[in-house]
């Protein structure tokens, strides 16, 4: 949900309850398809939030721990990032915001994770760690992309300590933004 006030808190409660119901229904009728879970969640949100202007974004995924296969679907949320072999790539999924279009369709992608691969899921709050400066939004995006590239380069097993450093840097960047307009 967008924002941080009572209506968003109520929408979060509706989302949580609806997600559990949608996931249970999708599993019992079609298997555990992330795209179908998001479609059912969207239907419930459209029915309960009709005309309120409230919406949400989401990424929903299923991980098969035995085969290391991950299936993800997205609904207007920042794309998951696969960190693999020193590089990064976004896992592109198509899907509109939740709670806006009652007949929305969502697609899903399946990937296999290698031993040292990492899947990074994040909220749009990550962008707050790379605020727009007077020089413009492109610079903020470049800083974020550079940070993700650094994370990808250090994602190999021998350098897990470097990941901790990068995550600490991110935490610091977010802490600095606390209370700002970002």
């Amino acid at each position: 949900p967008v924002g941080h006030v009572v209506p968003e808190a109520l929408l979060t409660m509706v989302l949580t309850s609806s997600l559990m119901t949608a996931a249970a229904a999708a599993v019992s009728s079609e298997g555990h398809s992330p795209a179908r879970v998001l479609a059912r969640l969207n239907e419930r949100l459209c029915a309960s939030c009709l005309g309120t202007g409230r919406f949400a974004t989401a990424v929903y995924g299923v991980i098969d721990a035995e085969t290391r296969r991950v299936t993800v679907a997205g609904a207007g949320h920042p794309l998951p990032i696969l960190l693999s072999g020193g590089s990064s790539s976004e896992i592109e999924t198509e899907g509109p915001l939740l709670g806006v279009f009652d007949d929305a369709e969502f697609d899903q992608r399946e990937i296999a994770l290698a031993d040292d691969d990492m899947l990074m899921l994040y909220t749009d709050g990550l962008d707050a760690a790379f605020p727009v400066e007077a020089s413009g939004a492109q610079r903020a995006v470049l800083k974020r992309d550079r940070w993700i590239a650094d994370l990808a380069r250090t994602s190999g097993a021998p350098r897990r300590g470097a990941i901790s450093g990068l995550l600490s840097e991110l935490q610091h960047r977010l802490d600095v933004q606390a209370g700002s307009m970002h």
Side-chain angles (χ1 to χ4, degrees):
V2 175
H4 302 285
V5 292
V6 173
E8 284 75 18
L10 293 173
L11 180 56
T12 300
M13 286 179 22
V14 168
L15 274 169
T16 302
S17 171
S18 296
L19 178 60
M20 290 186 292
T21 303
V27 168
S28 65
S29 64
E30 298 105 12
H32 209 114
S33 160
R36 189 65 199 133
V37 170
L38 286 181
R40 286 190 177 252
L41 177 59
N42 183 65
E43 291 164 6
R44 288 187 56 105
L45 282 178
C46 284
S48 64
C49 297
L50 195 59
T52 65
R54 301 283 178 215
F55 63 89
T57 68
V59 169
Y60 186 84
V62 176
I63 300 171
D64 184 326
E66 286 184 25
T67 64
R68 300 181 60 98
R69 297 199 73 72
V70 178
T71 307
V72 295
H77 200 74
L79 299 174
I81 297 175
L82 176 63
L83 305 172
S84 178
S87 64
S88 64
S89 59
E90 293 181 323
I91 300 172
E92 294 194 28
T93 60
E94 299 279 331
L97 300 168
L98 294 171
V100 178
F101 305 106
D102 58 358
D103 60 348
E105 293 184 12
F106 302 87
D107 71 352
Q108 61 188 32
R109 298 286 183 261
E110 185 175 309
I111 60 167
L113 295 175
D115 285 345
D116 288 338
D117 288 354
M118 293 187 343
L119 187 61
M120 185 171 122
L121 304 174
Y122 61 99
T123 175
D124 57 0
L126 176 67
D127 293 332
F130 306 94
V132 176
E133 299 168 356
S135 57
Q138 279 186 320
R139 177 167 282 183
V141 169
L142 288 173
K143 285 181 179 180
R144 184 197 75 128
D145 290 350
R146 191 174 311 125
W147 183 84
I148 290 171
D150 287 346
L151 185 61
R153 273 193 297 281
T154 60
S155 63
R159 295 178 279 192
R160 293 275 184 219
I163 291 174
S164 293
L166 284 166
L167 292 176
S168 292
E169 174 192 342
L170 178 62
Q171 178 69 45
H172 173 73
R173 286 174 178 262
L174 291 170
D175 287 347
V176 168
Q177 295 303 318
S180 75
M181 292 302 289
H182 296 289

